[in-house]
Amino acid sequence: MHLGAMQDWSLRVTRFIDHAAREHGSREIVSRWADGTESRTTWAGIRHDAMRMAQKLAKLGIKPGDRVATLAMNHHRHLVTWYGAVGVGGVLHTINPRLFDDQLDYIANHAEDRVMLFDAVFAPIIERMKPRWKTIEHYICFDSSGPAEHFEDWIATEDGQGEWADGDERDPCMLCYTSGTTGNPKGVLYEHRSTVLHAMIGMTPPLFSVDCRTVMLPIVPMFHAASWGLPWAGAAAGAKFVYSAVNDPAVLAELMEREAVTTSAGVPTVWLGLLQHFDTAGKDIPESLKTVVCGGSAMPRAMIERLMRSGIRVSHAWGMTETSPIGTSSAETWNWDDLSFDEQVSIKAMQGRAPFGVELRCVDLGDYSKVLPRDGKTSGALQVRGPWVVKRYFKAEADATDADQWFDTGDVAVIHPDGTLQLTDRTKDVIKSGGEWISSVELENAAVGFPGVAEAAAIGVYHPRWDERPLLVVVKKPGAEVCQDALREHLAGHVAKWWLPDAVVFVDEIPHTGTGKISKKDLRDQFRDWKWSA
Ligand code: AMP
């Protein structure tokens, strides 16, 4: 017996662009190019061009499931490509141009990319990699000055009057590789359905809080973790987008002010640069800016405080490529207005709570079968599950762990009784001293709160008595003097005494990975032969 039914309306990401063009067709998309020029289009324009691109890809024989790669910064032609690639039923593969050649080689060959669309600034990478990329048949350049057919000419032969490829909502739509600190990079294959559900949560107030009045400046690159889902969520909301193809703080600041940007999203390093720019230029953060979403690594407390004092709502988010990437966000609690400013900052400095669709748990670092209490004290390996969390990496064989459904994040965390997640380390970075865990992240957070410290990294170095002891590596701000004893005294106010680093080393630069995170692996190599003074 049938009790009635709802309609068949598959959750495909092309629904976003159809909706944006239909309901918010005139809302603007601005692109600021590397040469200082600008172009303006609309959601209706993006849809028209994406359809032309899908028609073109179909003529080239691109079939559902085929991978279409990009090597590009943030601009509207890249956005067109997102929708054009999925529009033909293909899988959009955004590649991080900052990766090393061997990784670029591995990724494009492993993905079996068939088309590559790139910015002219990355032409040297293309020239270098072309002989090594075996499966790429077509190279298209987003700029007219590049060494391949120009994107606009390429799609100009089509009329934009076609239909999107149809398919199942569980079909793949996007492929992102993780930076992979060890071994080869791993591909995470997002599905239409997972991407739609993720974007719908991304629109809500605890995350990007985006609607048709939002003017969004996404600083997070379109090649990093699906740009946090913004190209999808922004279309669903009909937000105005302001893109910059360069990450220069002066350019970003100018765009923010001129376009009255309300919302921006980026990693802490970018915000550090922007805040420094406002300071040196003697300017205030533009008044229009109301929401800042920051994640990818921990937001320093001083930065949160500074933004909140300027009346900005901070959303400190945790996630990873494997979680599409939304995992948690430091949303306001129900009793927010009763809290002191300091208490509010403390909440924002943690990674926040899970939205609907994400489940979290911590398990014992020594025995993963033991689930730990949410007591705000016991730290363990963080695991996550939900409809937009990876089940199996791209091309990985199905195995027994598939049934388990809990994904191991590689992060170490405590969960507070109210569900707030607090990251304390990476499983590989946590320092083990005399059998007890020391959080390198907490040491670093405390260190960057000290005046004159620009960046800090704590690593465990072999110690004959304690097995490992923390060594703090510090980069000073330009022209600043930092006294080691005063720094240790400052740290003593924030962490247990036995956590205090046994030595502080000042360096000119801390090594970073291709995605801009501190490379603890390189640091550990650098200080492998470190000798503690007796
Ligand atoms: P990726 O997949 O490159 O985005 O890296 C994901 C990893 O970045 C996570 O597993 C965390 O270790 C780290 N991460 C992301 N967001 C945060 C955050 N808000 N605080 C601390 N670490 C973070």
Side-chain angles (χ1 to χ4, degrees), residues 179 224 296-298 316-321 351 409 411 423 426 517:
S179 29
H224 186 208
S297 43
H316 176 197
W318 165 85
M320 51 201 313
T321 306
Q351 280 70 14
T409 63
D411 286 321
L423 249 64
R426 297 278 306 158
K517 298 183 191 194

Side-chain angles (χ1 to χ4, degrees), residues 359-416:
E359 292 180 49
L360 305 169
R361 71 175 189 187
C362 282
V363 295
D364 193 299
L365 278 168
D367 171 8
Y368 273 34
S369 68
K370 198 170 142 204
V371 178
L372 298 175
R374 294 178 161 215
D375 59 5
K377 292 194 283 278
T378 321
S379 71
L382 176 65
Q383 298 187 329
V384 59
R385 69 178 181 188
W388 54 82
V389 176
V390 69
K391 177 174 177 175
R392 196 162 55 240
Y393 287 106
F394 184 54
K395 291 187 177 175
E397 293 295 326
D399 66 20
T401 60
D402 283 359
D404 177 24
Q405 291 278 2
W406 281 100
F407 173 74
D408 251 316
T409 63
D411 286 321
V412 183
V414 299
I415 302 178
H416 290 261

Side-chain angles (χ1 to χ4, degrees), residues 103-306:
Q103 292 172 316
L104 291 169
D105 177 346
Y106 176 85
I107 284 176
N109 285 319
H110 187 258
E112 297 172 80
D113 294 326
R114 292 190 61 194
V115 184
M116 169 68 71
L117 298 107
F118 64 96
D119 286 348
V121 286
F122 302 127
I125 301 180
I126 300 289
E127 288 313 311
R128 248 189 358 257
M129 299 309 297
K130 233 177 186 175
R132 299 171 69 175
W133 284 337
K134 305 291 180 224
T135 58
I136 300 177
E137 301 152 45
H138 310 280
Y139 287 88
I140 310 296
C141 186
F142 284 125
D143 307 88
S144 53
S145 57
E149 189 174 1
H150 180 31
F151 182 75
E152 297 291 346
D153 299 338
W154 184 62
I155 59 172
T157 52
E158 309 306 312
D159 63 6
Q161 300 303 316
E163 304 245 319
W164 303 125
D166 204 8
D168 193 86
E169 61 181 25
R170 296 297 301 255
D171 286 345
C173 66
M174 190 164 184
L175 178 63
C176 289
Y177 281 76
T178 61
S179 29
T181 41
T182 52
N184 280 324
K186 296 192 195 83
V188 182
L189 195 62
Y190 304 140
E191 296 170 358
H192 282 264
R193 172 180 176 270
S194 72
T195 306
V196 169
L197 294 174
H198 176 268
M200 289 175 83
I201 284 295
M203 290 163 69
T204 60
L207 275 307
F208 300 105
S209 192
V210 45
D211 65 21
C212 66
R213 292 183 308 168
T214 303
V215 182
M216 167 70 76
L217 176 79
I219 311 178
V220 54
M222 295 174 86
F223 56 75
H224 186 208
S227 202
W228 301 353
L230 288 172
W232 315 119
K240 169 174 169 172
F241 270 68
V242 179
Y243 278 126
S244 173
V246 287
N247 261 343
D248 178 350
V251 172
L252 298 174
E254 195 268 327
L255 275 174
M256 258 182 205
E257 189 155 358
R258 183 157 47 85
E259 299 294 330
V261 167
T262 62
T263 311
S264 190
V267 295
T269 325
V270 166
W271 286 104
L272 268 183
L274 262 168
L275 292 177
Q276 262 170 23
H277 168 82
F278 288 124
D279 286 346
T280 42
K283 284 193 172 168
D284 289 334
I285 302 174
E287 246 177 60
S288 59
L289 191 67
K290 296 283 176 266
T291 306
V292 161
V293 183
C294 189
S297 43
M299 256 190 115
R301 193 184 166 96
M303 185 189 292
I304 296 171
E305 245 183 77
R306 166 81 197 276

Side-chain angles (χ1 to χ4, degrees), residues 52-62 68 84-85 88 115 154:
R52 292 198 292 160
M53 177 177 167
Q55 292 174 305
K56 188 75 188 194
L57 289 172
K59 278 194 185 152
L60 294 178
I62 302 300
V68 175
V88 73
V115 184
W154 184 62

